[in-house]
């Protein structure tokens, strides 16, 4: 791993190091002070952020302003559990679900609700670029835009509710 091309993410008992020139991801146990696994990331790019779940690491790779890959990797062995092509701008784990904001090839933004375990998309909702705030609750998702507009989405269906 070359100095200057390393991204480091410290999470609970794990340290992830990603060399974006070699496209190699290394996972270390902090408490055991040992390497756990190493993984080649075929399409590379840079990592925007990493979120740790119970069994998986969730990471967003960026290739350019609109392209990337969202990857879920097993903490224990580094194997890819699932992936979604595209650039994720936001992602948050909420219970057994993960919420992501993606941009598509036409420049449209979508809020997506997926399962943490399989990445299966439950619903998606188009959002405007000026989304300024979001709140995820047990029964709804609230979206607030820069111009003051608000949307409230049903947690189960993603449909707008009054």
């Amino acid at each position: 791993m070359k100095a200057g091309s390393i991204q480091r993410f410290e999470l609970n008992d794990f340290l992830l190091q990603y060399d974006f020139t070699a496209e190699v991801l290394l996972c270390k146990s902090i408490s055991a002070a040992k390497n756990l696994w190493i993984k080649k990331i075929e399409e590379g790019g840079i990592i925007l952020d990493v979120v740790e779940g119970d069994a998986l690491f969730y990471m967003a790779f960026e290739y350019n302003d609109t392209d990337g890959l969202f990857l879920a990797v097993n903490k224990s062995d580094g194997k890819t559990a699932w992936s979604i092509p595209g650039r994720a701008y936001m992602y948050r784990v909420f219970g057994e679900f993960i919420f992501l904001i993606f941009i598509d090839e036409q420049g449209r933004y979508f809020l997506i609700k997926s399962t943490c375990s399989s990445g299966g998309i439950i619903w998606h909702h188009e959002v405007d670029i000026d989304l300024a705030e979001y709140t995820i609750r047990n029964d709804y998702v609230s979206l607030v835009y820069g111009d003051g507009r608000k949307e409230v989405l049903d947690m189960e269906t993603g449909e707008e509710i009054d």
Side-chain angles (χ1 to χ4, degrees):
M1 295 191 163
K2 287 187 197 173
S5 65
I6 306 296
Q7 292 182 276
R8 295 170 51 96
F9 301 90
E10 194 168 326
L11 308 156
N12 292 327
D13 186 41
F14 299 95
L15 174 65
L16 293 177
Q17 288 186 176
Y18 178 62
D19 182 336
F20 53 84
T21 57
E23 301 176 338
V24 173
L25 180 65
L26 171 66
C27 180
K28 296 180 177 188
S29 167
I30 294 171
S31 61
K34 70 175 190 172
N35 294 348
L36 299 176
W37 48 262
I38 192 164
K39 177 180 187 65
K40 177 78 171 163
I41 307 296
E42 292 303 324
E43 295 189 36
I46 61 167
I47 298 176
L48 295 173
D49 195 14
V50 177
V51 173
E52 182 177 2
D54 290 337
L56 301 171
F57 294 119
Y58 305 98
M59 52 193 80
F61 287 84
E62 172 189 85
Y63 308 144
N64 57 44
D65 288 343
T66 58
D67 296 315
L69 177 70
F70 189 80
L71 192 62
V73 175
N74 287 306
K75 291 163 96 173
S76 60
D77 59 12
K79 291 184 179 169
T80 299
W82 52 267
S83 65
I84 301 173
R87 179 153 185 247
Y89 283 86
M90 177 281 295
Y91 48 102
R92 294 295 172 258
V93 174
F94 187 85
E96 61 191 57
F97 305 104
I98 187 161
F99 291 82
L100 309 106
I101 293 184
F102 268 90
I103 185 171
D104 71 7
E105 52 280 343
Q106 285 85 37
R108 297 176 303 173
Y109 293 84
F110 291 91
L111 172 64
I112 298 171
K113 178 184 178 184
S114 295
T115 59
C116 286
S117 59
S118 69
I121 296 174
I122 297 168
W123 54 257
H124 68 279
H125 177 80
E126 189 168 356
V127 297
D128 291 340
I129 192 169
D130 68 336
L131 179 65
E133 180 182 320
Y134 60 91
T135 304
I136 302 170
R137 301 280 188 213
N138 288 329
D139 54 349
Y140 68 90
V141 177
S142 172
L143 307 172
V144 179
Y145 294 93
D147 62 5
R149 285 178 299 125
K150 295 179 182 177
E151 291 181 295
V152 179
L153 308 178
D154 180 89
M155 176 63 96
E156 295 299 315
T157 66
E159 296 294 322
E160 194 167 349
I161 54 179
D162 297 323

